[in-house]
């Protein structure tokens, strides 16, 4: 897995005095882009490196948390659409991850 696709837990550039609108934009952009960047590698390179699926699931979980935290600042329709899409990605990645763990147990 390349370091380029890894996403960190902490977001640079956020401080206590960061305006809320700026924080919302930075956090949601980073979290949703991480999910977007990991979908393709998780789908195509899964057999070579199942870690992509794990990272996708983590990215989706973080994106969901960011969406929930900033729900009051999002338009309702957009929020619901994003939450559902990220939830589907997380569920599907979870299923793939579960299969990978079971395959490891059987080996």
């Amino acid at each position: 897995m390349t370091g380029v696709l890894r996403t960190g837990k902490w977001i640079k550039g956020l401080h206590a005095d960061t305006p809320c609108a700026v924080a919302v934009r930075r956090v949601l952009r980073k979290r949703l882009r991480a999910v977007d960047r990991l979908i393709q590698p998780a789908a195509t390179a899964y057999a070579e490196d199942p870690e992509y699926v794990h990272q996708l699931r983590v990215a989706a979980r973080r994106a969901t948390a960011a969406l929930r935290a900033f729900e009051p600042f999002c338009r309702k329709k957009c929020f619901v659409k994003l939450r559902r899409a990220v939830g589907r990605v997380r569920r599907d990645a979870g299923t793939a991850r579960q299969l990978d763990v079971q395959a490891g147990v059987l080996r």
Side-chain angles (χ1 to χ4, degrees), residues 22-78:
V22 173
V24 170
R25 187 173 54 247
R26 284 183 187 168
V27 171
L28 289 179
R29 182 184 311 141
K30 180 171 174 104
R31 295 302 180 210
L32 294 172
R33 280 186 180 170
V35 172
D36 185 52
R37 278 195 318 264
L38 285 163
I39 287 175
Q40 185 63 33
T44 58
Y46 175 74
E48 300 155 17
D49 190 356
E51 182 66 16
Y52 285 114
V53 173
H54 173 67
Q55 289 300 316
L56 176 60
R57 189 158 185 263
V58 169
R61 185 179 70 235
R62 289 178 178 163
T64 300
L67 283 167
R68 284 188 184 142
F70 295 122
E71 180 180 358
F73 304 98
C74 299
R75 287 180 294 197
K76 182 72 172 168
K77 189 174 182 178
C78 184

Side-chain angles (χ1 to χ4, degrees), residues 9-20:
K9 183 190 281 190
W10 307 109
I11 298 175
K12 294 179 183 178
L14 293 182
H15 309 285
D17 60 347
T18 302
C20 191

Side-chain angles (χ1 to χ4, degrees), residues 88-101:
R88 281 192 302 269
V89 168
R90 185 172 179 206
R91 271 190 307 279
D92 292 346
T95 301
R97 179 77 172 144
Q98 203 170 25
L99 293 172
D100 176 57
V101 169

